[in-house]
Amino acid sequence: MNSFDKICSDIKSLKIQGAENIAKAGVKALLIMNDKKSISKLLNLRPTEPLLRNAINFARSNPNKLVPAALRHFHSALNKISMIGSKVVKPNSVIYTHCHSSTVVAVIKKLKNPIVYNTETRPFFQGRITAKQLSDYGIKVYHLVDSGAEVAVRKADIMLIGADAITVNGVYNKIGSSIFARLAYEYKVPVYVCSDSWKFSNKKYEKIEERDSQEVWKNPPKNVNILNPAFDVIDLKFITGIISEMGVHKDIKDFVKAVKKEYLELF
Ligand code: RUB
């Protein structure tokens, strides 16, 4: 397998996961292959990923010059988000998060004495990546099965969640995020989305990636149909704010205005 195909296979199989890591690997792959067919292959690996799409569209005309520029953007955005996030979350806070978002992990690492509750994220257990990265950093983590989310949310002062896509209709993130944000809303736990603003999608709705049923159940009995959507959509009503490198936006309209002003001509 050549190195371009290896990157594609690692993205498809979730060896490389999370919007930011996918986009970084995807733009780097442009340095190896950037003909139309290869670009289309990259874009179709994870369909619910505007960050990958936006970064590729930004860099495709001149990869040698623009891939490093995209990577610089990711790096500087992450630094800013973690700084801004560390001002939003109070010291000694109990934080609930789901799945693995490198952006959320970067924010939590900047906090004073955080305690984290996180859910494991069936069927791929990306929650364990979060738990491992935070515990390696010396942060106390309580880890629960997904159906234990209510226990976690009730303990939390704040919920931090990543994003795969932000549209005017909602925030797309790992399956479960929608119920858990709804629950947080019910318990009056503020929900903040930590996201690079390049995850904005101008589409009204993003297609939700349906993954292989085998990830859920290898040999189900006949007549059992497995559904395995990778993401769901958090209604904006349940979101307190979006923390991006542009600041904290409590209203999606202000967020969209800011992205369009700052970046849209780039894509
Ligand atoms: C990962 C996931 C993450 C977002 C944000 O899903 O939903 O919360 O991608 O991550 P998957 P980041 O494991 O299916 O890719 O903040 O790292 O971009």
Side-chain angles (χ1 to χ4, degrees):
M1 202 186 291
N2 66 32
S3 45
F4 179 86
D5 287 341
K6 167 88 172 77
I7 293 175
C8 292
S9 142
D10 286 352
I11 291 175
K12 188 81 202 161
S13 67
L14 297 188
K15 212 179 239 174
I16 297 173
Q17 62 74 231
E20 175 110 10
N21 290 330
I22 293 166
K24 278 184 195 156
V27 283
K28 283 186 196 157
L30 283 184
L31 297 171
I32 308 166
M33 307 271 267
N34 49 56
D35 57 287
K36 265 193 173 160
K37 201 169 149 217
S38 306
I39 289 177
S40 152
K41 180 171 177 184
L42 276 174
L43 293 176
N44 287 307
L45 293 167
R46 301 291 309 269
T48 322
E49 295 297 352
L51 184 63
L52 173 68
R53 230 163 42 220
N54 289 336
I56 285 181
N57 287 338
F58 168 77
R60 63 192 291 172
S61 62
N62 185 350
N64 284 334
K65 181 170 163 236
L66 296 173
V67 168
L71 296 173
R72 278 197 299 277
H73 162 81
F74 294 144
H75 183 74
S76 112
L78 191 63
N79 275 336
K80 284 184 193 156
I81 295 167
S82 54
M83 289 311 295
I84 297 167
S86 70
K87 292 188 185 114
V88 172
V89 188
K90 295 194 183 88
N92 307 311
S93 284
V94 177
I95 297 138
Y96 167 63
T97 191
H98 177 57
C99 193
H100 172 252
S101 155
S102 58
T103 320
V104 168
V105 167
V107 171
I108 293 174
K109 282 181 174 176
K110 280 271 186 307
L111 303 176
K112 283 211 181 83
N113 307 321
I115 293 176
V116 175
Y117 280 73
N118 91 307
T119 27
E120 62 181 355
T121 319
R122 278 274 294 153
F124 237 86
F125 302 106
Q126 292 95 323
R128 293 181 186 176
I129 306 175
T130 303
K132 167 100 175 66
Q133 290 181 349
L134 294 177
S135 72
D136 284 351
Y137 202 74
I139 293 170
K140 190 167 194 174
V141 178
Y142 294 93
H143 189 72
L144 293 91
V145 294
D146 298 327
S147 44
E150 185 160 7
V151 173
V153 168
R154 287 175 72 168
K155 298 265 186 207
D157 299 307
I158 189 166
M159 172 170 169
L160 296 179
I161 199 92
D164 288 275
I166 301 176
T167 74
V168 288
N169 290 304
V171 170
Y172 292 62
N173 194 55
K174 179 54 57 190
I175 190 85
S177 300
S178 161
I179 329 172
F180 304 150
R182 193 178 282 258
L183 202 59
Y185 181 80
E186 193 158 302
Y187 284 108
K188 300 195 171 33
V189 174
V191 177
Y192 282 89
V193 174
C194 305
S195 169
D196 188 313
S197 67
W198 284 21
K199 291 179 185 170
F200 174 67
S201 163
N202 225 352
K203 291 184 189 169
K204 251 185 152 176
Y205 300 98
E206 278 289 324
K207 178 174 180 223
I208 294 199
E209 176 187 0
E210 182 68 28
R211 294 191 59 89
D212 194 333
S213 62
Q214 299 258 311
E215 290 176 357
V216 177
W217 195 349
K218 278 214 163 60
N219 297 303
K222 67 170 189 253
N223 297 328
V224 173
N225 300 294
I226 306 292
L227 298 176
N228 188 15
F231 306 107
D232 59 18
V233 190
I234 310 171
D235 192 303
L236 294 167
K237 175 167 105 189
F238 305 126
I239 293 174
T240 315
I242 299 173
I243 303 170
S244 77
E245 76 282 11
M246 303 181 308
V248 183
H249 288 96
K250 300 221 163 184
D251 184 333
I252 189 74
K253 288 197 195 103
D254 296 335
F255 173 80
V256 173
K257 218 188 279 168
V259 183
K260 289 195 169 169
K261 188 162 165 242
E262 192 99 5
Y263 297 119
L264 216 62
E265 74 283 1
L266 295 177
F267 306 139

